[in-house]
Amino acid sequence: GPVTAAAVIGLGVLLLAWALRGVPTAAKTGGHFALSARERAGRLVFVRQRDPDRAGRSRPRAPSAGPAPA
């Protein structure tokens, strides 16, 4: 009924506001979006690189001239 519709609309508005809060505005920085070094460092995501030489890991195959066998 009307209570459910109001709840769904309210949830939609909250989700839209949450999604738009991270959108940069060009008006703040004079036409471009510049990040400081501290802001850039905070956005970095580090991915642990796996060591192919570690025990138990097979070495990747070298590329060949022909197609890979099925």
Side-chain angles (χ1 to χ4, degrees):
V3 174
T4 304
V8 170
I9 290 172
L11 182 61
V13 169
L14 286 175
L15 287 174
L16 182 63
W18 178 76
L20 290 178
R21 77 179 170 151
V23 175
T25 59
K28 287 183 184 176
T29 57
H32 65 281
F33 183 70
L35 292 176
S36 69
R38 181 172 293 181
E39 289 172 330
R40 281 194 306 268
R43 291 183 181 203
L44 288 178
V45 176
F46 292 99
V47 178
R48 182 176 293 278
Q49 300 294 314
R50 295 184 176 172
D51 183 11
D53 293 328
R54 201 171 87 192
R57 290 200 182 272
S58 60
R59 295 288 296 168
R61 288 186 8 193
S64 62

